[in-house]
Amino acid sequence: MDIKTIGVIGAGQMGLGICHVFALAGYDVLLNDVDEAALGRALDTVRGNMDRQVSREKISAEDRDGAMSRLSTTSTLTDLGQTDLVIEAATEREEVKEAIFKDLVPSLKADTILTSNTSSISITRLASKTDRPEKFMGFHFMNPVPVMSLVELIRGIATDEETFEAMLGVVEKLGKTASTAEDFPAFIVNRILMPMINEAVYVLYEGVGSVRSIDKAMRLGTNHPMGPLELADFIGLDTCLAIMNVLHDGLADTKYRPCPLLTKYVEAGWLGRKSGRGFYDYRGDEPVPTR
């Protein structure tokens, strides 16, 4: 399958990172979002990120300029219909993703591959809502996309071998490494990572340690580059909670019960870096623990 054009749905942090790496790899990329303001900022954000790569000599100025020339935006979802591969990177809510696919499918070419960047939702279930479950896969990038080398490839029960091999080829062209996961809740990375973060929130909730002491213990005691609460803020506490709920609902095991404190932070709108407050307050010059 000759994949040359890419449609990306969602101009958030993940969607922009996906556009970034695909454009640098030589693909023509069309980015869609319902938020006109987000689309208006998108190209400047991607260019700014590439400018940093140029300044660090990770890429050349020619690489940047070529990539930016291959990147365009649209607020009309059906414009993505003529692309060879669509990557949905919208918010981590199943009903939102299903609605997007319902609106998009009638305009797709017969051989277009559909993928979702979901971090936890059933690929089989999402695929069943489309007209092409055999050409549907989970295509889960790690954040930040330009930096992280791993891509999780998740086959739904109906995904055919041709689609899988095509996506392996795309990952290779991006210069990244594929890890193949079965279609069970949260796949591999988040099946392991999110319960660790949730347990760190329980340690805070139960008063075993403070925000600073928990993050310091895991950075220095286990050589993690970020503490679990700092990492949760970076990911987004709403995303962490959504994944824990998928694990809890999908596996019916109490060990995946989201910590009440995590739920409370999300209810307060303290979602981490993106909202200015989470386990740390980011509104000043330096992050300050909120507990």
Side-chain angles (χ1 to χ4, degrees), residues 104-172:
L104 177 63
V105 159
S107 66
L108 292 177
K109 297 187 299 180
D111 59 351
T112 296
I113 295 175
L114 273 179
T115 66
S116 176
N117 185 56
T118 179
S119 52
S120 62
I121 297 168
S122 169
I123 297 304
T124 298
R125 198 163 60 239
L126 287 174
S128 72
K129 307 297 184 182
T130 76
D131 66 342
R132 61 196 68 209
E134 73 285 350
K135 293 186 178 298
F136 194 106
M137 281 198 69
F139 202 32
H140 181 214
F141 289 83
M142 305 296 117
N143 189 25
V145 180
V147 174
M148 303 295 280
S149 61
L150 182 72
V151 180
E152 276 187 317
L153 289 181
I154 306 99
R155 301 172 77 151
I157 196 170
T159 306
D160 64 26
E161 189 64 25
E162 184 182 21
T163 299
F164 177 69
E165 291 295 332
M167 298 316 298
L168 278 176
V170 169
V171 173
E172 184 177 351

Side-chain angles (χ1 to χ4, degrees), residues 10-238:
Q13 188 175 30
M14 292 302 295
L16 295 185
I18 291 167
C19 289
H20 181 133
V21 298
F22 270 93
L24 275 177
Y27 293 96
D28 291 321
V29 183
L30 181 58
L31 172 66
N32 164 263
D33 200 286
V34 295
D35 185 344
E36 294 273 9
L39 278 182
R41 297 188 297 266
L43 296 183
D44 287 341
T45 300
V46 173
R47 185 179 181 89
N49 291 336
M50 289 187 186
D51 285 344
R52 280 191 288 275
Q53 287 184 303
V54 172
S55 68
R56 296 168 185 165
E57 300 184 344
K58 300 291 186 182
I59 63 173
S60 68
E62 291 76 16
D63 291 336
R64 176 202 60 205
D65 294 342
M68 291 305 302
S69 73
R70 292 186 286 272
L71 179 57
S72 57
T73 65
T74 179
S75 59
T76 304
L77 180 63
T78 53
D79 287 349
L80 274 57
Q82 296 306 301
T83 58
D84 302 321
L85 167 65
V86 173
I87 305 165
E88 173 273 313
T91 186
E92 191 70 354
R93 289 168 51 199
E94 188 164 352
E95 64 273 19
V96 172
K97 296 178 186 296
E98 287 182 359
I100 288 169
F101 292 132
K102 180 180 179 181
D103 291 342
L104 177 63
V105 159
S107 66
L108 292 177
K109 297 187 299 180
D111 59 351
T112 296
I113 295 175
L114 273 179
T115 66
S116 176
N117 185 56
T118 179
S119 52
S120 62
I121 297 168
S122 169
I123 297 304
T124 298
R125 198 163 60 239
L126 287 174
S128 72
K129 307 297 184 182
T130 76
D131 66 342
R132 61 196 68 209
E134 73 285 350
K135 293 186 178 298
F136 194 106
M137 281 198 69
F139 202 32
H140 181 214
F141 289 83
M142 305 296 117
N143 189 25
V145 180
V147 174
M148 303 295 280
S149 61
L150 182 72
V151 180
E152 276 187 317
L153 289 181
I154 306 99
R155 301 172 77 151
I157 196 170
T159 306
D160 64 26
E161 189 64 25
E162 184 182 21
T163 299
F164 177 69
E165 291 295 332
M167 298 316 298
L168 278 176
V170 169
V171 173
E172 184 177 351
K173 186 173 178 180
L174 292 176
K176 296 189 180 294
T177 301
S179 174
T180 305
E182 294 299 317
D183 185 23
F184 290 96
F187 319 129
I188 294 173
V189 173
N190 283 316
R191 173 78 177 264
I192 297 168
L193 174 63
M194 286 302 160
M196 185 199 75
I197 288 176
N198 193 54
E199 192 63 25
V201 183
Y202 267 114
V203 170
L204 179 65
Y205 176 61
E206 294 168 3
V208 179
S210 66
V211 169
R212 283 201 192 280
S213 62
I214 292 166
D215 278 350
K216 185 187 299 181
M218 295 304 290
R219 283 199 310 271
L220 303 182
T222 61
N223 209 28
H224 288 192
M226 298 172 72
L229 301 177
E230 181 185 6
L231 179 57
D233 276 357
F234 179 75
I235 294 168
L237 303 192
D238 52 341

Side-chain angles (χ1 to χ4, degrees), residues 234-248:
F234 179 75
I235 294 168
L237 303 192
D238 52 341
T239 300
C240 293
L241 179 60
I243 295 170
M244 287 308 303
N245 281 325
V246 167
L247 282 166
H248 192 229

